[in-house]
Structures are given as C-alpha cells and as structure tokens.
Amino acid sequence: MNTSHASDGAADELLRALEAAGCRLTAERRAVAQLIASRDGAFDSADLLTDSRRRNLGVARATIFRTLDVLTSIGAVERLDLPSGEHSYVRCDTRAHHHHLVCTRCQRSVDLEQIGMMPIIAQIERETGYRVDGHRVELFGLCPACQAIEAGRSGEGAETG
Amino acid sequence: MNTSHASDGAADELLRALEAAGCRLTAERRAVAQLIASRDGAFDSADLLTDSRRRNLGVARATIFRTLDVLTSIGAVERLDLPSGEHSYVRCDTRAHHHHLVCTRCQRSVDLEQIGMMPIIAQIERETGYRVDGHRVELFGLCPACQAIEAGRSGEGAETG
DNA sequence: TTATATGCAAACGCTTTGCATCACG
DNA sequence: CGTGATGCAAAGCGTTTGCATATAA
C-alpha cells in the first residue's frame, strides 16, 4: 500500500501555500514539497537532503534550508525541539494555532488544536502576575502502531511508514 | 540593593546538587554556580562566558559547557528553547517535574509546578490513541516589572535585575 | 525580460573533544 | 596520591551566505 496519494495531497498543499505567499514554484521546491509530504512525521534537514540524494532529485543543501525557512515563515511547517535536543520540522495540517504530538519511535506526528491551555494560562497569569503572550507545548509518546510493536507483537499491520 | 544573599543561596543549592551527584567542587564550578545564581532568569553559555571574563573569574569556555552539561543532567538547570530559536538555560528551583515561564524582555523566569496538564494529556491520549510519555511546556510573556516598563512608566521599582 | 531562486563552497556560530596539566578529596 | 576536572586550541556539526548562473512568470 503506497502513500503517494496522500503525499500528493500534502505536497500540493505545501505548494499552494508557497504560491499564496508569492513564491515561485520551482522544480526544487516541488521536490522538497514532495519529500516533506512523503514523510508523515517529524524530520530534519539532513533527512531531506538524504532523501533528495537517494531519489536523485539533486536539491542542494542550501535550497533545502531555504525552502524550510520559507515554509516555516508561512506556517506550513513548524520547527520543534525533540527531547534529545535536536530540532526537527513537522508539516502543519492547519495554519491555526496548534501543537504537536510526536511519536518518539517513528516520528509520526499529529496536529493538536484546541487542547484547552487557556484556563491553565489564565490561572498562571493570576498566580505569577506575568502576562503570558505565547506558549509552546510539545508532546512525545508512542503512536498506536509503535505501541503495538513495542509490546512485542511486531506484526499486525503496525508498520510505521 | 544587592542580590548576593539570594544568589548565595541559589549557588549553594547548585553546589549541593553537584556534590550529591558525586562531582568535585572545584573553584571553577563554584564560580559558574555563582554566575548562574546571580542571574534569576534564562541565560545562555555566552552570557556565562562574558560574565566570567568580566569578573575575571577566568573560567574557560569548555568548562562552562561541561558544567552546564552536568547541571542539566542532574536537573539543577534545564535547557529550553526560546521563541527566537536560540536555546538557553534556566536554573530549576525544584527537582520535580515542572515547566518554565520566561519573561521575553528581561529573561526572568519562574518555575511552574502542577499546572494541570494531566487531564489535557489524558484527553489527547483518548483522541489520538497515542500513549503520551513526555511533554514540554514553555510559556513566554512579560513579568510584572517589564509590563510596567512597557506600559511607558519605566520607573517605580521595576528594575529587572 | 527581470526579479527570484539555485548551486557551490566557503564562512559561520555554537558546541565538543584530545591531550597535557592541575588539584580536589 | 590518584582520579576527575581544567585549559587551550583545534575539530565538528548544522546552518547560513556571497556570488555567479539559471529560470519562473
């Protein structure tokens, strides 16, 4: 079962976001969008560079960074910091304020909207006197498939890709 | 009004933590502890290096990094990522699980314990099927003093140090 | 046609490391 | 004393940049 349909949709979304931001749709950006879309999880610049080389797409390192920059600035991807200290990127399904839950085993991630931080923040403002202007929430754990794998029964449709 | 009393307490705490971890209490570590304690807020390695030089403490760059490493590994300080993308450190008042609220203007920070993430996480686990093993919450805003300053009335005991 | 984007390689900034020396316990 | 810590400087690593070339619109 390949994921190319879902990937294409995601790639398109990235490209549309670039277009909307007034960026040119170059072959390289199409390639990067495709690479990002074919990963449904967190990835880093090195991942994309490796993928690009493996598929003979020949996108230069600098272009990957530059494309990630643009995509980040328009909110189509977000940069996050793994518990390990490395930072990686995730594609965002939504442009609205949200957070991410990342599988620490396969990197698959889900966007979380409306998780109900507002009352917590209001309480903290009351207690500390600070005015809270921004917050970052990152959750880490195991996706259902990886839970099954970790549990020892590594088959049963629990593939990560 | 100097802050040396509070600083000494904080420095002592750091040193005791090092001691408890089986580390030697060298002159350099005492110096770094002092430097960290004299900042009640987020700081980075460069800050400490600058301070060390300014005060003629002569602690080498490598030692600062190595000391921060140890302190981080024992939970006496924590590494966090500012909205700007830089990462910095904060001293932790507690060894228990907690989060940080950092003033984006003066870097002063407070530890937050028990902010009530548990029900939120339980809900997310239910909705996503993920098993959440860890989470990071970072809050950013303005401390009371900096709110006053930003409001235009820059006096009134609102100093940051 | 022309502003934008790319590739390359060098530069960059932060962090780590190898090794000889030093000093805490 | 002996192990663990330090200083120095060089190396490492991820990321950014300058500039000539290529290309989308």
mmCIF file of all heavy atoms in Angstrom, chain A residues 24-26 45 61-62 65-66 87, chain D residues 14-19 23-25:
data_model
loop_
_atom_site.group_PDB
_atom_site.id
_atom_site.type_symbol
_atom_site.label_atom_id
_atom_site.label_comp_id
_atom_site.label_asym_id
_atom_site.label_seq_id
_atom_site.Cartn_x
_atom_site.Cartn_y
_atom_site.Cartn_z
ATOM 1 N N ARG A 24 7.894 31.520 -6.129
ATOM 2 C CA ARG A 24 7.890 30.793 -7.403
ATOM 3 C C ARG A 24 7.875 29.292 -7.153
ATOM 4 O O ARG A 24 8.519 28.806 -6.232
ATOM 5 C CB ARG A 24 9.129 31.151 -8.193
ATOM 6 C CG ARG A 24 9.107 32.577 -8.681
ATOM 7 C CD ARG A 24 10.271 32.823 -9.598
ATOM 8 N NE ARG A 24 10.247 34.192 -10.057
ATOM 9 C CZ ARG A 24 11.230 34.755 -10.744
ATOM 10 N NH1 ARG A 24 12.308 34.045 -11.033
ATOM 11 N NH2 ARG A 24 11.138 35.995 -11.143
ATOM 12 N N LEU A 25 7.169 28.607 -7.992
ATOM 13 C CA LEU A 25 7.126 27.152 -7.855
ATOM 14 C C LEU A 25 8.199 26.525 -8.737
ATOM 15 O O LEU A 25 7.949 26.157 -9.877
ATOM 16 C CB LEU A 25 5.743 26.634 -8.227
ATOM 17 C CG LEU A 25 4.620 27.112 -7.311
ATOM 18 C CD1 LEU A 25 3.330 26.376 -7.609
ATOM 19 C CD2 LEU A 25 5.001 26.937 -5.863
ATOM 20 N N THR A 26 9.361 26.424 -8.172
ATOM 21 C CA THR A 26 10.476 25.847 -8.923
ATOM 22 C C THR A 26 10.458 24.331 -8.815
ATOM 23 O O THR A 26 9.770 23.765 -7.968
ATOM 24 C CB THR A 26 11.803 26.345 -8.352
ATOM 25 O OG1 THR A 26 11.946 25.843 -7.025
ATOM 26 C CG2 THR A 26 11.842 27.858 -8.323
ATOM 27 N N SER A 45 16.616 18.536 8.489
ATOM 28 C CA SER A 45 17.181 18.938 7.205
ATOM 29 C C SER A 45 18.017 17.821 6.594
ATOM 30 O O SER A 45 17.986 17.595 5.383
ATOM 31 C CB SER A 45 18.031 20.189 7.387
ATOM 32 O OG SER A 45 18.967 19.990 8.431
ATOM 33 N N ARG A 61 21.835 21.400 -0.594
ATOM 34 C CA ARG A 61 21.631 21.617 0.834
ATOM 35 C C ARG A 61 21.052 22.998 1.115
ATOM 36 O O ARG A 61 20.058 23.147 1.831
ATOM 37 C CB ARG A 61 22.977 21.476 1.549
ATOM 38 C CG ARG A 61 22.908 21.175 3.009
ATOM 39 C CD ARG A 61 24.182 21.560 3.754
ATOM 40 N NE ARG A 61 25.377 21.588 2.932
ATOM 41 C CZ ARG A 61 26.203 20.564 2.777
ATOM 42 N NH1 ARG A 61 25.974 19.442 3.401
ATOM 43 N NH2 ARG A 61 27.261 20.666 2.003
ATOM 44 N N ALA A 62 21.654 23.998 0.542
ATOM 45 C CA ALA A 62 21.216 25.377 0.791
ATOM 46 C C ALA A 62 19.749 25.560 0.409
ATOM 47 O O ALA A 62 19.004 26.260 1.101
ATOM 48 C CB ALA A 62 22.092 26.355 0.027
ATOM 49 N N PHE A 65 17.466 24.149 3.078
ATOM 50 C CA PHE A 65 17.348 25.067 4.213
ATOM 51 C C PHE A 65 16.502 26.267 3.850
ATOM 52 O O PHE A 65 15.642 26.703 4.615
ATOM 53 C CB PHE A 65 18.734 25.515 4.678
ATOM 54 C CG PHE A 65 19.400 24.520 5.593
ATOM 55 C CD1 PHE A 65 20.412 23.706 5.136
ATOM 56 C CD2 PHE A 65 18.978 24.392 6.910
ATOM 57 C CE1 PHE A 65 21.024 22.774 5.978
ATOM 58 C CE2 PHE A 65 19.579 23.473 7.750
ATOM 59 C CZ PHE A 65 20.611 22.660 7.282
ATOM 60 N N ARG A 66 16.739 26.802 2.671
ATOM 61 C CA ARG A 66 15.991 27.995 2.280
ATOM 62 C C ARG A 66 14.513 27.684 2.134
ATOM 63 O O ARG A 66 13.647 28.477 2.524
ATOM 64 C CB ARG A 66 16.589 28.575 1.001
ATOM 65 C CG ARG A 66 17.937 29.258 1.268
ATOM 66 C CD ARG A 66 18.448 30.087 0.093
ATOM 67 N NE ARG A 66 19.208 29.301 -0.869
ATOM 68 C CZ ARG A 66 20.449 29.606 -1.303
ATOM 69 N NH1 ARG A 66 21.066 30.679 -0.849
ATOM 70 N NH2 ARG A 66 21.057 28.848 -2.182
ATOM 71 N N HIS A 87 16.753 19.665 16.721
ATOM 72 C CA HIS A 87 15.478 20.186 16.262
ATOM 73 C C HIS A 87 15.128 19.669 14.903
ATOM 74 O O HIS A 87 15.967 19.362 14.071
ATOM 75 C CB HIS A 87 15.277 21.696 16.329
ATOM 76 C CG HIS A 87 16.466 22.532 16.083
ATOM 77 N ND1 HIS A 87 16.388 23.782 15.565
ATOM 78 C CD2 HIS A 87 17.750 22.311 16.315
ATOM 79 C CE1 HIS A 87 17.593 24.297 15.491
ATOM 80 N NE2 HIS A 87 18.431 23.427 15.935
ATOM 81 P P DG D 14 25.176 17.249 12.013
ATOM 82 O OP1 DG D 14 24.442 16.162 12.654
ATOM 83 O OP2 DG D 14 25.855 17.030 10.707
ATOM 84 O "O5'" DG D 14 24.195 18.495 11.882
ATOM 85 C "C5'" DG D 14 23.666 19.059 13.089
ATOM 86 C "C4'" DG D 14 23.357 20.509 12.878
ATOM 87 O "O4'" DG D 14 24.564 21.256 12.613
ATOM 88 C "C3'" DG D 14 22.418 20.797 11.708
ATOM 89 O "O3'" DG D 14 21.427 21.699 12.166
ATOM 90 C "C2'" DG D 14 23.325 21.408 10.641
ATOM 91 C "C1'" DG D 14 24.390 22.087 11.486
ATOM 92 N N9 DG D 14 25.684 22.213 10.831
ATOM 93 C C8 DG D 14 26.358 21.238 10.146
ATOM 94 N N7 DG D 14 27.500 21.649 9.662
ATOM 95 C C5 DG D 14 27.572 22.974 10.053
ATOM 96 C C6 DG D 14 28.588 23.939 9.815
ATOM 97 O O6 DG D 14 29.643 23.805 9.192
ATOM 98 N N1 DG D 14 28.269 25.176 10.378
ATOM 99 C C2 DG D 14 27.128 25.441 11.082
ATOM 100 N N2 DG D 14 26.988 26.681 11.552
ATOM 101 N N3 DG D 14 26.176 24.543 11.312
ATOM 102 C C4 DG D 14 26.465 23.337 10.769
ATOM 103 P P DT D 15 20.290 22.166 11.193
ATOM 104 O OP1 DT D 15 19.125 22.462 12.014
ATOM 105 O OP2 DT D 15 20.185 21.220 10.065
ATOM 106 O "O5'" DT D 15 20.868 23.551 10.670
ATOM 107 C "C5'" DT D 15 21.124 24.571 11.626
ATOM 108 C "C4'" DT D 15 21.767 25.755 10.934
ATOM 109 O "O4'" DT D 15 23.027 25.356 10.371
ATOM 110 C "C3'" DT D 15 20.955 26.329 9.772
ATOM 111 O "O3'" DT D 15 20.571 27.649 10.152
ATOM 112 C "C2'" DT D 15 21.901 26.318 8.591
ATOM 113 C "C1'" DT D 15 23.269 26.175 9.258
ATOM 114 N N1 DT D 15 24.334 25.526 8.449
ATOM 115 C C2 DT D 15 25.435 26.270 8.093
ATOM 116 O O2 DT D 15 25.571 27.442 8.407
ATOM 117 N N3 DT D 15 26.374 25.604 7.366
ATOM 118 C C4 DT D 15 26.329 24.290 6.954
ATOM 119 O O4 DT D 15 27.242 23.801 6.301
ATOM 120 C C5 DT D 15 25.152 23.559 7.355
ATOM 121 C C7 DT D 15 24.989 22.122 6.966
ATOM 122 C C6 DT D 15 24.220 24.198 8.079
ATOM 123 P P DT D 16 19.790 28.594 9.136
ATOM 124 O OP1 DT D 16 18.990 29.507 9.961
ATOM 125 O OP2 DT D 16 19.179 27.795 8.073
ATOM 126 O "O5'" DT D 16 20.976 29.446 8.501
ATOM 127 C "C5'" DT D 16 21.881 30.093 9.372
ATOM 128 C "C4'" DT D 16 22.867 30.908 8.550
ATOM 129 O "O4'" DT D 16 23.783 30.023 7.865
ATOM 130 C "C3'" DT D 16 22.230 31.787 7.464
ATOM 131 O "O3'" DT D 16 22.816 33.073 7.617
ATOM 132 C "C2'" DT D 16 22.615 31.097 6.158
ATOM 133 C "C1'" DT D 16 23.935 30.444 6.533
ATOM 134 N N1 DT D 16 24.310 29.221 5.780
ATOM 135 C C2 DT D 16 25.558 29.128 5.220
ATOM 136 O O2 DT D 16 26.381 30.029 5.286
ATOM 137 N N3 DT D 16 25.830 27.947 4.585
ATOM 138 C C4 DT D 16 24.985 26.869 4.458
ATOM 139 O O4 DT D 16 25.344 25.852 3.874
ATOM 140 C C5 DT D 16 23.679 27.022 5.058
ATOM 141 C C7 DT D 16 22.686 25.917 4.973
ATOM 142 C C6 DT D 16 23.405 28.181 5.688
ATOM 143 P P DT D 17 22.338 34.285 6.731
ATOM 144 O OP1 DT D 17 22.370 35.464 7.604
ATOM 145 O OP2 DT D 17 21.128 33.909 5.988
ATOM 146 O "O5'" DT D 17 23.536 34.420 5.675
ATOM 147 C "C5'" DT D 17 24.869 34.292 6.123
ATOM 148 C "C4'" DT D 17 25.820 34.538 4.960
ATOM 149 O "O4'" DT D 17 26.120 33.274 4.313
ATOM 150 C "C3'" DT D 17 25.292 35.456 3.855
ATOM 151 O "O3'" DT D 17 26.382 36.232 3.391
ATOM 152 C "C2'" DT D 17 24.815 34.491 2.785
ATOM 153 C "C1'" DT D 17 25.826 33.358 2.936
ATOM 154 N N1 DT D 17 25.353 32.014 2.533
ATOM 155 C C2 DT D 17 26.257 31.136 1.988
ATOM 156 O O2 DT D 17 27.420 31.408 1.803
ATOM 157 N N3 DT D 17 25.739 29.906 1.680
ATOM 158 C C4 DT D 17 24.435 29.480 1.856
ATOM 159 O O4 DT D 17 24.095 28.357 1.551
ATOM 160 C C5 DT D 17 23.542 30.462 2.430
ATOM 161 C C7 DT D 17 22.111 30.103 2.646
ATOM 162 C C6 DT D 17 24.037 31.665 2.738
ATOM 163 P P DG D 18 26.121 37.617 2.651
ATOM 164 O OP1 DG D 18 26.451 38.667 3.622
ATOM 165 O OP2 DG D 18 24.788 37.606 2.004
ATOM 166 O "O5'" DG D 18 27.237 37.583 1.518
ATOM 167 C "C5'" DG D 18 28.440 36.824 1.689
ATOM 168 C "C4'" DG D 18 29.200 36.737 0.375
ATOM 169 O "O4'" DG D 18 28.971 35.443 -0.235
ATOM 170 C "C3'" DG D 18 28.800 37.745 -0.690
ATOM 171 O "O3'" DG D 18 29.935 37.995 -1.516
ATOM 172 C "C2'" DG D 18 27.683 37.026 -1.447
ATOM 173 C "C1'" DG D 18 28.139 35.566 -1.383
ATOM 174 N N9 DG D 18 27.067 34.589 -1.246
ATOM 175 C C8 DG D 18 25.864 34.760 -0.618
ATOM 176 N N7 DG D 18 25.124 33.683 -0.626
ATOM 177 C C5 DG D 18 25.891 32.734 -1.286
ATOM 178 C C6 DG D 18 25.619 31.374 -1.593
ATOM 179 O O6 DG D 18 24.619 30.713 -1.324
ATOM 180 N N1 DG D 18 26.676 30.787 -2.284
ATOM 181 C C2 DG D 18 27.843 31.417 -2.625
ATOM 182 N N2 DG D 18 28.731 30.695 -3.290
ATOM 183 N N3 DG D 18 28.106 32.682 -2.347
ATOM 184 C C4 DG D 18 27.088 33.273 -1.684
ATOM 185 P P DC D 19 29.886 39.090 -2.642
ATOM 186 O OP1 DC D 19 31.226 39.717 -2.643
ATOM 187 O OP2 DC D 19 28.659 39.911 -2.546
ATOM 188 O "O5'" DC D 19 29.787 38.175 -3.951
ATOM 189 C "C5'" DC D 19 30.687 37.083 -4.123
ATOM 190 C "C4'" DC D 19 30.236 36.241 -5.300
ATOM 191 O "O4'" DC D 19 29.192 35.329 -4.888
ATOM 192 C "C3'" DC D 19 29.650 37.044 -6.467
ATOM 193 O "O3'" DC D 19 30.137 36.505 -7.682
ATOM 194 C "C2'" DC D 19 28.155 36.801 -6.333
ATOM 195 C "C1'" DC D 19 28.168 35.356 -5.853
ATOM 196 N N1 DC D 19 26.912 34.887 -5.233
ATOM 197 C C2 DC D 19 26.586 33.525 -5.325
ATOM 198 O O2 DC D 19 27.360 32.763 -5.900
ATOM 199 N N3 DC D 19 25.435 33.088 -4.765
ATOM 200 C C4 DC D 19 24.618 33.944 -4.141
ATOM 201 N N4 DC D 19 23.498 33.466 -3.604
ATOM 202 C C5 DC D 19 24.927 35.334 -4.049
ATOM 203 C C6 DC D 19 26.073 35.759 -4.600
ATOM 204 P P DT D 23 17.975 26.171 -15.927
ATOM 205 O OP1 DT D 23 18.050 24.738 -15.600
ATOM 206 O OP2 DT D 23 18.206 26.684 -17.289
ATOM 207 O "O5'" DT D 23 16.542 26.688 -15.445
ATOM 208 C "C5'" DT D 23 16.275 26.836 -14.052
ATOM 209 C "C4'" DT D 23 15.152 27.832 -13.863
ATOM 210 O "O4'" DT D 23 15.653 29.196 -13.812
ATOM 211 C "C3'" DT D 23 14.110 27.834 -14.983
ATOM 212 O "O3'" DT D 23 12.830 27.951 -14.386
ATOM 213 C "C2'" DT D 23 14.409 29.121 -15.744
ATOM 214 C "C1'" DT D 23 14.776 30.004 -14.561
ATOM 215 N N1 DT D 23 15.515 31.253 -14.876
ATOM 216 C C2 DT D 23 15.179 32.388 -14.180
ATOM 217 O O2 DT D 23 14.331 32.410 -13.306
ATOM 218 N N3 DT D 23 15.899 33.499 -14.514
ATOM 219 C C4 DT D 23 16.892 33.592 -15.484
ATOM 220 O O4 DT D 23 17.464 34.645 -15.702
ATOM 221 C C5 DT D 23 17.176 32.359 -16.192
ATOM 222 C C7 DT D 23 18.227 32.339 -17.256
ATOM 223 C C6 DT D 23 16.480 31.263 -15.870
ATOM 224 P P DA D 24 11.625 26.985 -14.720
ATOM 225 O OP1 DA D 24 11.862 25.657 -14.150
ATOM 226 O OP2 DA D 24 11.404 27.160 -16.177
ATOM 227 O "O5'" DA D 24 10.425 27.656 -13.932
ATOM 228 C "C5'" DA D 24 10.541 27.825 -12.514
ATOM 229 C "C4'" DA D 24 9.823 29.088 -12.094
ATOM 230 O "O4'" DA D 24 10.548 30.253 -12.590
ATOM 231 C "C3'" DA D 24 8.409 29.230 -12.606
ATOM 232 O "O3'" DA D 24 7.618 29.783 -11.565
ATOM 233 C "C2'" DA D 24 8.517 30.183 -13.794
ATOM 234 C "C1'" DA D 24 9.715 31.036 -13.422
ATOM 235 N N9 DA D 24 10.578 31.418 -14.553
ATOM 236 C C8 DA D 24 10.965 30.646 -15.600
ATOM 237 N N7 DA D 24 11.783 31.259 -16.436
ATOM 238 C C5 DA D 24 11.927 32.513 -15.897
ATOM 239 C C6 DA D 24 12.660 33.644 -16.305
ATOM 240 N N6 DA D 24 13.439 33.661 -17.406
ATOM 241 N N1 DA D 24 12.612 34.744 -15.530
ATOM 242 C C2 DA D 24 11.857 34.711 -14.430
ATOM 243 N N3 DA D 24 11.113 33.719 -13.935
ATOM 244 C C4 DA D 24 11.195 32.636 -14.725
ATOM 245 P P DA D 25 6.039 29.950 -11.761
ATOM 246 O OP1 DA D 25 5.465 29.919 -10.397
ATOM 247 O OP2 DA D 25 5.578 29.013 -12.796
ATOM 248 O "O5'" DA D 25 5.893 31.426 -12.337
ATOM 249 C "C5'" DA D 25 6.162 32.539 -11.486
ATOM 250 C "C4'" DA D 25 5.933 33.803 -12.288
ATOM 251 O "O4'" DA D 25 6.958 33.943 -13.294
ATOM 252 C "C3'" DA D 25 4.594 33.822 -13.024
ATOM 253 O "O3'" DA D 25 3.996 35.106 -12.871
ATOM 254 C "C2'" DA D 25 4.969 33.591 -14.485
ATOM 255 C "C1'" DA D 25 6.347 34.260 -14.528
ATOM 256 N N9 DA D 25 7.223 33.760 -15.575
ATOM 257 C C8 DA D 25 7.234 32.529 -16.145
ATOM 258 N N7 DA D 25 8.154 32.374 -17.082
ATOM 259 C C5 DA D 25 8.793 33.616 -17.108
ATOM 260 C C6 DA D 25 9.873 34.098 -17.882
ATOM 261 N N6 DA D 25 10.501 33.369 -18.798
ATOM 262 N N1 DA D 25 10.262 35.373 -17.661
ATOM 263 C C2 DA D 25 9.622 36.105 -16.726
ATOM 264 N N3 DA D 25 8.585 35.733 -15.934
ATOM 265 C C4 DA D 25 8.240 34.478 -16.185
#
